[in-house]
Amino acid sequence: GMFPGLVPLCYAYLDFIHCDDESFRRIDEYLTLIRRRASGELLTPATWMRRFVQSHPEYKQDSVVTQGIAYDLVRACDEIGRGQRACPELLGETVVEPLTSVCAYDTQLRGAACRQAVVKKLLDRLWKRAGSGDESSDSVDTAPPSKRGRCSSPSPESSSSSES
């Protein structure tokens, strides 16, 4: 068979585990970032670093990265990683926020309870979506619907009735 792609499989998994809204929103941002990098719309970190070094005032076009260049590069990466420096060519509209442990462990993984037919149906649905040719197919609006509640897992009754 054909492979539907990594991003649709990630969305299928999020639907499969009944991912909560806040986690889904955050993961969707990163999946969108990955898709935009893969398409060339955003720079990869390697390209961004090369450009940083090549445009640094100390760089003499001799392939030598001085201590000053290395320091400035590491500092810039640290500031970007902490959200203290904007870098739209690398991150697009993604805003780097501090990680928190709020709701980190409230979503129970329910994969073992799902039957093979349900998984196949979900993958078939995503395969059809991936083949639509619609560039926006990885957006929040078209991501797999699921019964999500902020920091809560679906009840066993609601998931068993939707799997029938």
Side-chain angles (χ1 to χ4, degrees):
M2 304 266 299
F3 182 67
L6 179 62
V7 172
L9 284 177
C10 290
Y11 283 122
Y13 180 73
L14 295 174
D15 191 40
F16 183 69
I17 65 167
H18 304 283
C19 182
D20 66 89
D21 287 337
E22 182 61 24
S23 298
F24 179 84
R25 181 196 62 77
R26 190 164 196 136
I27 294 168
D28 180 65
E29 280 184 45
Y30 289 114
L31 290 174
T32 300
L33 176 68
I34 290 166
R35 182 184 51 77
R36 291 180 70 196
R37 281 202 183 142
S39 73
E41 189 178 338
L42 294 176
L43 297 179
T44 63
T47 299
W48 180 85
M49 285 189 262
R50 267 192 300 280
R51 289 184 182 177
F52 183 95
V53 169
Q54 291 170 343
S55 65
H56 194 279
E58 287 184 26
Y59 188 64
K60 297 180 176 112
Q61 308 300 319
D62 59 359
S63 299
V64 174
V65 177
T66 64
Q67 281 187 332
I69 297 170
Y71 176 83
D72 291 345
L73 176 61
V74 170
R75 185 172 180 143
C77 290
D78 178 62
E79 290 170 356
I80 291 166
R82 291 192 217 210
Q84 297 171 341
R85 176 188 286 211
C87 192
E89 65 273 19
L90 184 63
L91 300 174
E93 294 81 35
T94 302
V95 176
V96 177
E97 299 172 6
L99 295 176
T100 66
S101 61
V102 176
C103 300
Y105 303 103
D106 292 344
T107 300
Q108 295 178 358
L109 302 181
R110 301 178 42 94
C114 189
R115 292 171 294 200
Q116 185 69 22
V118 175
V119 173
K120 182 176 181 348
K121 183 178 175 183
L122 178 60
L123 289 173
D124 287 344
R125 192 174 81 224
L126 289 163
W127 176 249
K128 287 176 188 168
R129 182 184 306 143
S132 69
D134 180 6
E135 290 296 321
S136 65
S137 65
D138 293 334
S139 70
V140 174
D141 296 335
T142 58
S146 69
K147 297 175 183 173
R148 297 185 192 107
R150 187 176 177 111
C151 298
S152 65
S153 300
S155 67
E157 299 85 351
S158 66
S159 65
S160 63
S161 63
S162 65
E163 292 176 4
S164 300

